[in-house]
């Protein structure tokens, strides 16, 4: 939460264009404010949990495979995000983001063939909103890939 507050304060140093009603500092400030609120919610949830249980639960040694099974999607999600970051300079923001959103939905959602069209529509819709807000309205352009130049 302190880190979010510091970043929120530092966002004031982002240069403001004189004729734009909403400056480029709005997006970082909104994201950091959301992180701050989520951190506060996490803190309050943790404090409530401490009050409910006097002693923390110990995880038995035999429960380790079950613990790993609960986090089976974390590593593939991390790998997908890492691949996304690597693909942005090569493919550009729009194709890489489309592939990332599609892959993450397939990874985390139901894996039925009929859902693929919905996942594609969500990815295209998300890209459309990003394009309209940033490139059309705010004139903040996303990186183009070296592969398609």
């Amino acid at each position: 939460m302190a880190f979010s507050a510091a970043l929120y304060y530092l966002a004031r140093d982002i240069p403001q264009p004189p004729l734009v009603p909403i400056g480029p500092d709005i997006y970082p400030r909104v994201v950091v404010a959301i992180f701050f609120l989520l951190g506060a919610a996490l803190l309050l949830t943790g404090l409530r949990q401490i009050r409910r249980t006097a002693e923390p639960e110990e995880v038995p040694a035999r429960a380790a495979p079950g613990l790993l099974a609960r986090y089976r999607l974390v590593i593939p999600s991390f790998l997908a995000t890492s691949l996304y970051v690597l693909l942005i300079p090569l493919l550009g923001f729009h194709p890489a983001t489309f592939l990332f959103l599609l892959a993450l939905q397939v990874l985390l959602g139901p894996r039925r063939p009929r859902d693929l069209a919905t996942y594609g529509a969500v990815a295209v819709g998300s890209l459309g909103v990003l394009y309209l807000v940033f490139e059309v309205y705010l004139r903040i352009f996303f990186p183009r890939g070296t592969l398609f130049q």
Side-chain angles (χ1 to χ4, degrees):
M1 289 172 43
F3 185 66
S4 294
L7 287 177
Y8 188 88
Y9 176 76
L10 291 174
R12 68 174 168 56
D13 292 335
I14 297 174
Q16 298 291 333
L19 300 176
V20 178
I22 297 176
D25 67 329
I26 190 70
Y27 180 72
R29 284 185 176 221
V30 167
V31 170
V32 168
I34 290 170
F35 284 152
F36 182 87
L37 292 174
L38 290 173
L42 186 62
L43 177 67
L44 291 175
T45 303
L47 290 174
R48 259 190 241 138
Q49 185 67 23
I50 289 173
R51 287 185 199 154
R52 288 186 194 151
T53 58
E55 295 180 19
E57 295 180 24
E58 289 189 28
V59 178
R62 283 188 277 157
L67 184 66
L68 293 176
R70 284 190 289 176
Y71 297 106
R72 72 184 185 284
L73 297 176
V74 172
I75 292 173
S77 298
F78 178 77
L79 291 174
T81 305
S82 301
L83 184 62
Y84 169 60
V85 169
L86 294 174
L87 285 178
I88 288 176
L90 183 65
L91 299 177
F93 179 81
H94 296 113
T97 301
F98 174 77
L99 292 173
F100 171 70
L101 291 174
L102 189 63
L104 210 56
Q105 290 177 88
V106 169
L107 177 68
L108 299 176
R111 293 191 180 112
R112 297 178 303 225
R114 65 180 176 192
D115 292 325
L116 200 55
T118 304
Y119 296 157
V122 168
V124 168
S126 299
L127 276 172
V129 169
L130 288 172
Y131 175 78
L132 289 174
V133 169
F134 286 96
E135 295 197 17
V136 173
Y137 181 70
L138 294 175
R139 297 278 190 216
I140 299 172
F141 298 101
F142 293 117
R144 308 289 183 243
T146 57
L147 190 63
F148 297 115
Q149 285 184 354

